Amino acid sequence: YGASQTFQWQASATLAGTYTNVGNPKLTPDTTIISTTSLYYRCEIKCGGATVYSTPILLTVNPALPTGSYTINKALPTNWPTTTVGANFNSFNDAKASMNCGILGAVTFNVVANSGPYTEQLILDSIKGTSVVNTITFNGLGNTIAFSSTNTNERAVIKLKSADHIRFDSLIIDATGPNGFGYGVQLINNADSNIIRKCSILANTTLTTANYAGIVINSTDAGPVTLGNTWCDGNKFDRNTISGGFYGVTLVGSATQLIEGNQFTNNTIKDFYT
């Protein structure tokens, strides 16, 4: 680009146009575009008396997930966002992807009975729109989610990383695989106000290494008992059965950064190593 060039970004609902200007002409081609709907974008470039256009590119924006109940069933394809009411998701991670732009209210995913097992790792980060009212619930209905990790920094079958107001109910969480690492559930980095209830959390019962644990709430991805800034508060674990692991449960903050309000009620913790 040079002193005599200008760059005008334009948008259209269709590839052929009509295109309308987005903002004002710029002296450089870089810009920031905040889009709430899927549109085609191109740049009108002028230099002296010449005008050319960049190839239009479709920017696809998924909508926020509306409040309501949805299913997870790997026997059926994911039909969101084509289907909006009662949509099905083929996997837990397809359900996660539907919330990339947040949620509009309380959301429930019912895992269809006897549709598992689901062999995948589920890592949830902060999701826009969650609150004490707008919760996200995964009703397992006795299904299994299983994963065996080879990554020291991603050891858990289910990892809540800055995720708040998530509920898991009646799910079998299987981290017994032989691939080197296996936490059932891990909370880290300010994951607050989550509930795990009536779940069976399975860790390895034969390997005597701290790479395996049932529940880990801590400050680092890899160390189950490393002191540090965990900041995970107000979480509740109720009526779970936690089996195996070097540790059954770890809950670790530091002398300067306390963690508060976590509850473990009516759980059975068994067959851990130490």
Side-chain angles (χ1 to χ4, degrees), residues 72-95:
I72 296 176
N73 184 355
K74 71 177 186 180
L76 297 175
T78 296
N79 55 10
W80 165 264
T82 303
T83 299
T84 56
V85 178
N88 182 72
F89 298 95
N90 183 257
S91 66
F92 282 82
N93 278 281
D94 281 2

PDB file of all heavy atoms in Angstrom, residues 72-95:
ATOM      1  N   ILE A  72     -27.910 -35.513  22.956  1.00  0.00           N
ATOM      2  CA  ILE A  72     -26.635 -36.010  22.445  1.00  0.00           C
ATOM      3  C   ILE A  72     -26.843 -37.474  22.116  1.00  0.00           C
ATOM      4  O   ILE A  72     -27.205 -38.272  22.993  1.00  0.00           O
ATOM      5  CB  ILE A  72     -25.504 -35.834  23.471  1.00  0.00           C
ATOM      6  CG1 ILE A  72     -25.262 -34.347  23.749  1.00  0.00           C
ATOM      7  CG2 ILE A  72     -24.219 -36.492  22.980  1.00  0.00           C
ATOM      8  CD1 ILE A  72     -24.224 -34.092  24.827  1.00  0.00           C
ATOM      9  N   ASN A  73     -26.658 -37.834  20.844  1.00  0.00           N
ATOM     10  CA  ASN A  73     -26.880 -39.199  20.383  1.00  0.00           C
ATOM     11  C   ASN A  73     -25.945 -39.457  19.210  1.00  0.00           C
ATOM     12  O   ASN A  73     -26.126 -38.886  18.129  1.00  0.00           O
ATOM     13  CB  ASN A  73     -28.334 -39.394  19.962  1.00  0.00           C
ATOM     14  CG  ASN A  73     -28.639 -40.840  19.567  1.00  0.00           C
ATOM     15  OD1 ASN A  73     -27.737 -41.686  19.510  1.00  0.00           O
ATOM     16  ND2 ASN A  73     -29.898 -41.124  19.295  1.00  0.00           N
ATOM     17  N   LYS A  74     -24.927 -40.292  19.423  1.00  0.00           N
ATOM     18  CA  LYS A  74     -23.928 -40.508  18.363  1.00  0.00           C
ATOM     19  C   LYS A  74     -24.469 -41.337  17.202  1.00  0.00           C
ATOM     20  O   LYS A  74     -23.820 -41.428  16.157  1.00  0.00           O
ATOM     21  CB  LYS A  74     -22.676 -41.155  18.943  1.00  0.00           C
ATOM     22  CG  LYS A  74     -22.809 -42.596  19.361  1.00  0.00           C
ATOM     23  CD  LYS A  74     -21.461 -43.117  19.858  1.00  0.00           C
ATOM     24  CE  LYS A  74     -21.494 -44.602  20.153  1.00  0.00           C
ATOM     25  NZ  LYS A  74     -20.181 -45.096  20.630  1.00  0.00           N
ATOM     26  N   ALA A  75     -25.658 -41.907  17.356  1.00  0.00           N
ATOM     27  CA  ALA A  75     -26.271 -42.643  16.254  1.00  0.00           C
ATOM     28  C   ALA A  75     -26.913 -41.713  15.235  1.00  0.00           C
ATOM     29  O   ALA A  75     -27.292 -42.158  14.142  1.00  0.00           O
ATOM     30  CB  ALA A  75     -27.307 -43.622  16.787  1.00  0.00           C
ATOM     31  N   LEU A  76     -27.049 -40.440  15.578  1.00  0.00           N
ATOM     32  CA  LEU A  76     -27.672 -39.466  14.684  1.00  0.00           C
ATOM     33  C   LEU A  76     -26.706 -38.319  14.424  1.00  0.00           C
ATOM     34  O   LEU A  76     -25.863 -37.999  15.266  1.00  0.00           O
ATOM     35  CB  LEU A  76     -28.962 -38.921  15.306  1.00  0.00           C
ATOM     36  CG  LEU A  76     -30.080 -39.931  15.555  1.00  0.00           C
ATOM     37  CD1 LEU A  76     -31.236 -39.269  16.295  1.00  0.00           C
ATOM     38  CD2 LEU A  76     -30.556 -40.541  14.245  1.00  0.00           C
ATOM     39  N   PRO A  77     -26.823 -37.658  13.270  1.00  0.00           N
ATOM     40  CA  PRO A  77     -25.909 -36.553  12.967  1.00  0.00           C
ATOM     41  C   PRO A  77     -26.252 -35.300  13.765  1.00  0.00           C
ATOM     42  O   PRO A  77     -27.375 -35.146  14.271  1.00  0.00           O
ATOM     43  CB  PRO A  77     -26.124 -36.319  11.473  1.00  0.00           C
ATOM     44  CG  PRO A  77     -27.536 -36.772  11.223  1.00  0.00           C
ATOM     45  CD  PRO A  77     -27.750 -37.938  12.152  1.00  0.00           C
ATOM     46  N   THR A  78     -25.283 -34.419  13.868  1.00  0.00           N
ATOM     47  CA  THR A  78     -25.533 -33.095  14.433  1.00  0.00           C
ATOM     48  C   THR A  78     -26.343 -32.280  13.435  1.00  0.00           C
ATOM     49  O   THR A  78     -25.981 -32.186  12.260  1.00  0.00           O
ATOM     50  CB  THR A  78     -24.204 -32.385  14.738  1.00  0.00           C
ATOM     51  OG1 THR A  78     -23.520 -33.128  15.757  1.00  0.00           O
ATOM     52  CG2 THR A  78     -24.426 -30.959  15.201  1.00  0.00           C
ATOM     53  N   ASN A  79     -27.465 -31.711  13.877  1.00  0.00           N
ATOM     54  CA  ASN A  79     -28.308 -30.938  12.952  1.00  0.00           C
ATOM     55  C   ASN A  79     -28.457 -29.476  13.370  1.00  0.00           C
ATOM     56  O   ASN A  79     -29.312 -28.763  12.850  1.00  0.00           O
ATOM     57  CB  ASN A  79     -29.684 -31.585  12.787  1.00  0.00           C
ATOM     58  CG  ASN A  79     -30.399 -31.792  14.120  1.00  0.00           C
ATOM     59  OD1 ASN A  79     -29.967 -31.307  15.160  1.00  0.00           O
ATOM     60  ND2 ASN A  79     -31.496 -32.538  14.078  1.00  0.00           N
ATOM     61  N   TRP A  80     -27.640 -29.049  14.314  1.00  0.00           N
ATOM     62  CA  TRP A  80     -27.596 -27.633  14.668  1.00  0.00           C
ATOM     63  C   TRP A  80     -26.587 -26.936  13.744  1.00  0.00           C
ATOM     64  O   TRP A  80     -25.564 -27.505  13.423  1.00  0.00           O
ATOM     65  CB  TRP A  80     -27.164 -27.477  16.139  1.00  0.00           C
ATOM     66  CG  TRP A  80     -26.747 -26.085  16.527  1.00  0.00           C
ATOM     67  CD1 TRP A  80     -25.479 -25.586  16.563  1.00  0.00           C
ATOM     68  CD2 TRP A  80     -27.606 -25.006  16.897  1.00  0.00           C
ATOM     69  NE1 TRP A  80     -25.484 -24.273  16.933  1.00  0.00           N
ATOM     70  CE2 TRP A  80     -26.781 -23.891  17.144  1.00  0.00           C
ATOM     71  CE3 TRP A  80     -28.980 -24.881  17.024  1.00  0.00           C
ATOM     72  CZ2 TRP A  80     -27.293 -22.661  17.531  1.00  0.00           C
ATOM     73  CZ3 TRP A  80     -29.488 -23.653  17.421  1.00  0.00           C
ATOM     74  CH2 TRP A  80     -28.649 -22.559  17.671  1.00  0.00           C
ATOM     75  N   PRO A  81     -26.828 -25.689  13.272  1.00  0.00           N
ATOM     76  CA  PRO A  81     -27.975 -24.829  13.593  1.00  0.00           C
ATOM     77  C   PRO A  81     -29.146 -24.935  12.609  1.00  0.00           C
ATOM     78  O   PRO A  81     -30.075 -24.143  12.696  1.00  0.00           O
ATOM     79  CB  PRO A  81     -27.349 -23.438  13.528  1.00  0.00           C
ATOM     80  CG  PRO A  81     -26.318 -23.550  12.470  1.00  0.00           C
ATOM     81  CD  PRO A  81     -25.763 -24.941  12.580  1.00  0.00           C
ATOM     82  N   THR A  82     -29.113 -25.922  11.691  1.00  0.00           N
ATOM     83  CA  THR A  82     -30.251 -26.078  10.781  1.00  0.00           C
ATOM     84  C   THR A  82     -31.535 -26.315  11.565  1.00  0.00           C
ATOM     85  O   THR A  82     -32.585 -25.739  11.267  1.00  0.00           O
ATOM     86  CB  THR A  82     -29.996 -27.251   9.825  1.00  0.00           C
ATOM     87  OG1 THR A  82     -28.772 -27.020   9.127  1.00  0.00           O
ATOM     88  CG2 THR A  82     -31.125 -27.380   8.828  1.00  0.00           C
ATOM     89  N   THR A  83     -31.444 -27.164  12.577  1.00  0.00           N
ATOM     90  CA  THR A  83     -32.557 -27.377  13.502  1.00  0.00           C
ATOM     91  C   THR A  83     -32.264 -26.594  14.775  1.00  0.00           C
ATOM     92  O   THR A  83     -31.193 -26.747  15.365  1.00  0.00           O
ATOM     93  CB  THR A  83     -32.712 -28.863  13.830  1.00  0.00           C
ATOM     94  OG1 THR A  83     -32.989 -29.578  12.620  1.00  0.00           O
ATOM     95  CG2 THR A  83     -33.843 -29.093  14.816  1.00  0.00           C
ATOM     96  N   THR A  84     -33.173 -25.753  15.193  1.00  0.00           N
ATOM     97  CA  THR A  84     -32.927 -24.904  16.357  1.00  0.00           C
ATOM     98  C   THR A  84     -33.612 -25.398  17.615  1.00  0.00           C
ATOM     99  O   THR A  84     -33.084 -25.262  18.710  1.00  0.00           O
ATOM    100  CB  THR A  84     -33.380 -23.462  16.068  1.00  0.00           C
ATOM    101  OG1 THR A  84     -34.761 -23.476  15.667  1.00  0.00           O
ATOM    102  CG2 THR A  84     -32.541 -22.838  14.957  1.00  0.00           C
ATOM    103  N   VAL A  85     -34.792 -25.980  17.475  1.00  0.00           N
ATOM    104  CA  VAL A  85     -35.543 -26.450  18.652  1.00  0.00           C
ATOM    105  C   VAL A  85     -35.288 -27.934  18.838  1.00  0.00           C
ATOM    106  O   VAL A  85     -35.569 -28.742  17.957  1.00  0.00           O
ATOM    107  CB  VAL A  85     -37.050 -26.172  18.495  1.00  0.00           C
ATOM    108  CG1 VAL A  85     -37.815 -26.721  19.692  1.00  0.00           C
ATOM    109  CG2 VAL A  85     -37.302 -24.677  18.328  1.00  0.00           C
ATOM    110  N   GLY A  86     -34.736 -28.323  19.996  1.00  0.00           N
ATOM    111  CA  GLY A  86     -34.511 -29.728  20.293  1.00  0.00           C
ATOM    112  C   GLY A  86     -33.500 -30.398  19.393  1.00  0.00           C
ATOM    113  O   GLY A  86     -33.603 -31.598  19.115  1.00  0.00           O
ATOM    114  N   ALA A  87     -32.504 -29.658  18.943  1.00  0.00           N
ATOM    115  CA  ALA A  87     -31.505 -30.204  18.027  1.00  0.00           C
ATOM    116  C   ALA A  87     -30.737 -31.358  18.666  1.00  0.00           C
ATOM    117  O   ALA A  87     -30.641 -31.472  19.893  1.00  0.00           O
ATOM    118  CB  ALA A  87     -30.533 -29.107  17.596  1.00  0.00           C
ATOM    119  N   ASN A  88     -30.167 -32.233  17.827  1.00  0.00           N
ATOM    120  CA  ASN A  88     -29.326 -33.334  18.287  1.00  0.00           C
ATOM    121  C   ASN A  88     -27.868 -33.018  17.991  1.00  0.00           C
ATOM    122  O   ASN A  88     -27.529 -32.381  16.975  1.00  0.00           O
ATOM    123  CB  ASN A  88     -29.698 -34.646  17.600  1.00  0.00           C
ATOM    124  CG  ASN A  88     -28.853 -35.800  18.105  1.00  0.00           C
ATOM    125  OD1 ASN A  88     -29.003 -36.269  19.227  1.00  0.00           O
ATOM    126  ND2 ASN A  88     -27.917 -36.251  17.268  1.00  0.00           N
ATOM    127  N   PHE A  89     -27.002 -33.513  18.871  1.00  0.00           N
ATOM    128  CA  PHE A  89     -25.565 -33.395  18.672  1.00  0.00           C
ATOM    129  C   PHE A  89     -24.956 -34.781  18.695  1.00  0.00           C
ATOM    130  O   PHE A  89     -25.279 -35.609  19.551  1.00  0.00           O
ATOM    131  CB  PHE A  89     -24.948 -32.500  19.749  1.00  0.00           C
ATOM    132  CG  PHE A  89     -25.485 -31.094  19.704  1.00  0.00           C
ATOM    133  CD1 PHE A  89     -26.541 -30.725  20.526  1.00  0.00           C
ATOM    134  CD2 PHE A  89     -24.977 -30.170  18.820  1.00  0.00           C
ATOM    135  CE1 PHE A  89     -27.065 -29.440  20.471  1.00  0.00           C
ATOM    136  CE2 PHE A  89     -25.484 -28.881  18.754  1.00  0.00           C
ATOM    137  CZ  PHE A  89     -26.533 -28.512  19.583  1.00  0.00           C
ATOM    138  N   ASN A  90     -24.071 -35.039  17.753  1.00  0.00           N
ATOM    139  CA  ASN A  90     -23.486 -36.355  17.584  1.00  0.00           C
ATOM    140  C   ASN A  90     -22.484 -36.691  18.680  1.00  0.00           C
ATOM    141  O   ASN A  90     -22.168 -37.860  18.894  1.00  0.00           O
ATOM    142  CB  ASN A  90     -22.804 -36.441  16.213  1.00  0.00           C
ATOM    143  CG  ASN A  90     -22.231 -37.794  15.912  1.00  0.00           C
ATOM    144  OD1 ASN A  90     -21.028 -37.994  16.010  1.00  0.00           O
ATOM    145  ND2 ASN A  90     -23.093 -38.734  15.546  1.00  0.00           N
ATOM    146  N   SER A  91     -21.967 -35.680  19.383  1.00  0.00           N
ATOM    147  CA  SER A  91     -20.950 -35.905  20.401  1.00  0.00           C
ATOM    148  C   SER A  91     -21.007 -34.786  21.432  1.00  0.00           C
ATOM    149  O   SER A  91     -21.648 -33.753  21.222  1.00  0.00           O
ATOM    150  CB  SER A  91     -19.558 -35.942  19.761  1.00  0.00           C
ATOM    151  OG  SER A  91     -19.233 -34.662  19.225  1.00  0.00           O
ATOM    152  N   PHE A  92     -20.296 -34.993  22.535  1.00  0.00           N
ATOM    153  CA  PHE A  92     -20.179 -33.938  23.540  1.00  0.00           C
ATOM    154  C   PHE A  92     -19.473 -32.718  22.954  1.00  0.00           C
ATOM    155  O   PHE A  92     -19.831 -31.577  23.261  1.00  0.00           O
ATOM    156  CB  PHE A  92     -19.404 -34.453  24.756  1.00  0.00           C
ATOM    157  CG  PHE A  92     -20.211 -35.321  25.673  1.00  0.00           C
ATOM    158  CD1 PHE A  92     -20.401 -36.671  25.387  1.00  0.00           C
ATOM    159  CD2 PHE A  92     -20.779 -34.808  26.830  1.00  0.00           C
ATOM    160  CE1 PHE A  92     -21.140 -37.479  26.238  1.00  0.00           C
ATOM    161  CE2 PHE A  92     -21.518 -35.612  27.690  1.00  0.00           C
ATOM    162  CZ  PHE A  92     -21.706 -36.946  27.385  1.00  0.00           C
ATOM    163  N   ASN A  93     -18.492 -32.951  22.101  1.00  0.00           N
ATOM    164  CA  ASN A  93     -17.748 -31.826  21.540  1.00  0.00           C
ATOM    165  C   ASN A  93     -18.545 -31.069  20.485  1.00  0.00           C
ATOM    166  O   ASN A  93     -18.333 -29.874  20.293  1.00  0.00           O
ATOM    167  CB  ASN A  93     -16.401 -32.295  20.997  1.00  0.00           C
ATOM    168  CG  ASN A  93     -15.363 -32.415  22.098  1.00  0.00           C
ATOM    169  OD1 ASN A  93     -14.795 -31.422  22.534  1.00  0.00           O
ATOM    170  ND2 ASN A  93     -15.132 -33.641  22.561  1.00  0.00           N
ATOM    171  N   ASP A  94     -19.468 -31.747  19.809  1.00  0.00           N
ATOM    172  CA  ASP A  94     -20.382 -31.018  18.924  1.00  0.00           C
ATOM    173  C   ASP A  94     -21.298 -30.114  19.748  1.00  0.00           C
ATOM    174  O   ASP A  94     -21.608 -28.984  19.350  1.00  0.00           O
ATOM    175  CB  ASP A  94     -21.211 -31.990  18.091  1.00  0.00           C
ATOM    176  CG  ASP A  94     -20.439 -32.539  16.903  1.00  0.00           C
ATOM    177  OD1 ASP A  94     -19.253 -32.187  16.746  1.00  0.00           O
ATOM    178  OD2 ASP A  94     -21.018 -33.332  16.126  1.00  0.00           O
ATOM    179  N   ALA A  95     -21.736 -30.602  20.903  1.00  0.00           N
ATOM    180  CA  ALA A  95     -22.541 -29.762  21.797  1.00  0.00           C
ATOM    181  C   ALA A  95     -21.737 -28.563  22.271  1.00  0.00           C
ATOM    182  O   ALA A  95     -22.234 -27.433  22.325  1.00  0.00           O
ATOM    183  CB  ALA A  95     -23.042 -30.583  22.980  1.00  0.00           C
TER     184      ALA A  95
END
